[in-house]
């Protein structure tokens, strides 16, 4: 399985309670977090989210004074066997596509899923979707 989904990136201070405050905004508005990844630096962090209501989430964060961006990322369900992620990364590398970042995505019934952002999302999507590396093509 491979699909494109909207990912929200929110810039927050890297201080105690700021992640909880950001997720409070979602909880209070009945927005479900499907995937979450935090990348930190000393002063700030980037909170990356996949949620069930992406456009509403963007507006809520903006209303709360947060710097927020929305972009398309891939969610893939690789075939569950040793070396499969390696094959996907080599497929991208041999086609001159950089993996900008990747993080796990939970889905009921799936052994594992992966969020993937690359330097060329359209080309990467086409390559991966036409490979034998993902389930239920």
């Amino acid at each position: 399985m491979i699909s494109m989904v909207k990912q929200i990136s929110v810039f927050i201070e890297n201080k105690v309670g700021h992640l909880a405050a950001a997720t409070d905004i979602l909880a209070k508005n009945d927005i479900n977090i499907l995937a979450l990844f935090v990348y930190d630096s000393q002063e700030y962090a980037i909170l990356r989210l996949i949620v069930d209501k992406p456009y509403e989430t963007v507006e809520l964060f903006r209303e709360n004074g947060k710097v927020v961006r929305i972009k398309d990322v891939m969610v893939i369900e690789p075939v569950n066997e040793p070396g499969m992620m390696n094959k996907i990364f080599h497929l991208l590398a041999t086609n001159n596509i950089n993996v900008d970042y990747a993080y796990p995505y939970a889905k009921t019934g799936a052994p594992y899923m992966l969020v993937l952002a690359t330097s060329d999302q359209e080309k990467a999507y086409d390559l991966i979707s036409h490979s034998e590396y993902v389930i239920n093509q």
Side-chain angles (χ1 to χ4, degrees):
M1 195 271 325
I2 182 170
S3 62
M4 297 294 276
V5 299
K6 299 293 182 194
Q7 174 193 264
I8 312 300
S9 295
V10 185
F11 297 88
I12 59 175
E13 285 188 81
N14 191 8
K15 293 184 178 177
V16 172
H18 284 254
L19 181 58
T23 57
D24 278 346
I25 294 168
L26 304 179
K28 289 176 183 174
N29 289 279
D30 295 319
I31 295 174
N32 191 26
I33 298 171
L34 306 171
L36 178 147
F37 177 77
V38 179
Y39 174 81
D40 71 327
S41 68
Q42 192 166 2
E43 294 181 27
Y44 291 94
I46 301 172
L47 169 60
R48 291 190 170 114
L49 299 162
I50 297 176
V51 296
D52 62 344
K53 301 173 192 168
Y55 297 106
E56 184 177 335
T57 299
V58 169
E59 290 308 312
L60 287 166
F61 279 130
R62 286 185 178 149
E63 289 169 8
N64 283 274
K66 302 291 184 196
V67 175
V68 61
R69 298 210 169 45
I70 188 169
K71 73 177 273 181
D72 288 327
V73 293
M74 284 177 281
V75 173
I76 63 172
E77 182 180 357
V79 172
N80 191 13
E81 59 185 57
M84 196 53 61
M85 292 306 306
N86 179 259
K87 290 177 183 179
I88 291 171
F89 295 147
H90 274 281
L91 174 66
L92 297 174
T94 57
N95 284 278
N96 202 32
I97 298 172
N98 185 50
V99 174
D100 296 333
Y101 55 86
Y103 57 94
Y105 179 97
K107 182 178 177 185
T108 303
Y112 71 101
M113 306 272 289
L114 187 72
V115 175
L116 195 60
T118 67
S119 58
D120 188 337
Q121 289 290 88
E122 288 182 28
K123 186 176 177 183
Y125 182 92
D126 187 54
L127 286 167
I128 294 169
S129 66
H130 289 94
S131 75
E132 67 274 11
Y133 306 148
V134 292
I135 295 175
N136 297 329
Q137 298 179 42

